[in-house]
């Protein structure tokens, strides 16, 4: 999905509440979003089963927290039976932060030991082994390359069609038919 970035104040999940309000009140289409959270190194949990359940209910694709979550058993139960709601975090802390600071939404954040910058709208891909971020510039380059490959592929298909047509005409000419009669 596409990153919806949240920067929480230290030990505070208010940024996630702010994101939730923005998504629901401003008619943001949640269907392709992955909520990505920079906790600013907070040791306290900023998410758990309540936020995960609400994000899933809205149709959001997942939650990535560069920090701690809580209610792990409840988080694991979130889903519709066929699929679970993916939540990635650095760790677990049963102590929740507070929600009294709105944090920032849709701003560049950094995550991970490598301090990777994630911009709102970057592509986030995840599986059981972790997540990969494709930033906007890379995404644009990938799309350009895909378009070039698609164009090249269609040109190759057209070239093959022309080659097949020419081979058929050559076959007819070799059997004595005039070129003008083959065209």
């Amino acid at each position: 999905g596409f990153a919806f970035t949240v920067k929480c104040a230290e030990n505070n999940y208010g940024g996630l509440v702010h994101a939730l309000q923005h998504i629901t009140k401003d008619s943001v289409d949640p269907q392709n979003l992955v909520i990505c959270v920079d906790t600013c190194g907070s040791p306290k949990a900023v998410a758990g089963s309540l936020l995960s359940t609400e994000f899933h209910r809205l149709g959001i694709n997942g939650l990535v927290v560069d920090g701690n979550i809580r209610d792990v058993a409840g988080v694991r139960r979130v889903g519709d039976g066929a699929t679970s709601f993916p939540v990635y975090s650095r760790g677990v802390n049963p102590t929740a932060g507070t929600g009294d600071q709105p944090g920032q939404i849709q701003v560049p954040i950094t995550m991970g030991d490598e301090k990777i910058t994630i911009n709102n709208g970057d592509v986030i891909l995840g599986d059981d082994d972790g997540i990969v971020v494709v930033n906007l510039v890379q995404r644009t380059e990938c799309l350009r390359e895909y378009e070039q490959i698609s164009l090249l592929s269609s040109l190759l298909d057209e070239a093959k069609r022309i080659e097949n047509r020419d081979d058929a005409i050559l076959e007819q000419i070799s059997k004595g038919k005039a070129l003008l009669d083959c065209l």
Side-chain angles (χ1 to χ4, degrees), residues 16-177:
L16 284 165
V17 173
H18 184 195
L20 186 60
Q21 291 168 335
H22 179 75
I23 290 166
T24 57
K25 290 181 181 174
D26 293 339
S27 300
V28 173
D29 181 11
Q31 295 300 312
N32 293 312
L33 296 181
V34 174
I35 307 296
C36 297
V37 186
D38 178 353
T39 64
C40 295
S42 301
K44 293 186 178 178
V46 296
S49 60
L50 296 177
L51 281 168
S52 297
T53 299
E54 182 63 0
F55 288 146
H56 180 265
R57 185 189 71 78
L58 291 171
I60 290 168
N61 287 341
L63 174 64
V64 179
V65 179
D66 189 22
N68 293 316
I69 63 167
R70 60 186 295 263
D71 303 327
V72 175
V75 169
R76 286 188 182 136
R77 288 191 298 270
V78 176
D80 57 17
T83 59
S84 61
F85 180 72
V87 176
Y88 299 86
S89 73
R90 279 188 172 268
V92 176
N93 184 339
T95 306
T98 59
D100 59 349
Q101 296 179 37
Q104 298 173 297
I105 59 172
Q106 298 180 302
V107 296
I109 61 173
T110 58
M111 296 181 87
D113 292 334
E114 306 292 323
K115 295 297 179 199
I116 296 170
T117 298
I118 299 176
N119 295 292
N120 202 61
D122 286 352
V123 176
I124 307 298
L125 305 169
D127 65 12
D128 289 341
D129 295 320
I131 64 167
V132 174
V133 178
V134 180
N135 69 37
L136 291 169
V137 172
Q138 290 170 322
R139 186 175 87 193
T140 301
E141 289 171 4
C142 288
L143 287 174
R144 274 195 217 117
E145 287 180 24
Y146 174 77
E147 289 169 356
Q148 289 172 352
I149 290 169
S150 295
L151 176 61
L152 180 58
S153 178
S154 66
L155 290 173
L156 289 173
D157 289 344
E158 180 65 14
K160 187 65 174 168
R161 188 187 67 71
I162 292 168
E163 181 182 30
N164 289 340
R165 185 199 67 196
D166 289 354
D167 287 347
I169 291 172
L170 286 171
E171 178 71 24
Q172 290 177 5
I173 292 171
S174 71
K175 292 181 180 177
K177 195 168 186 180

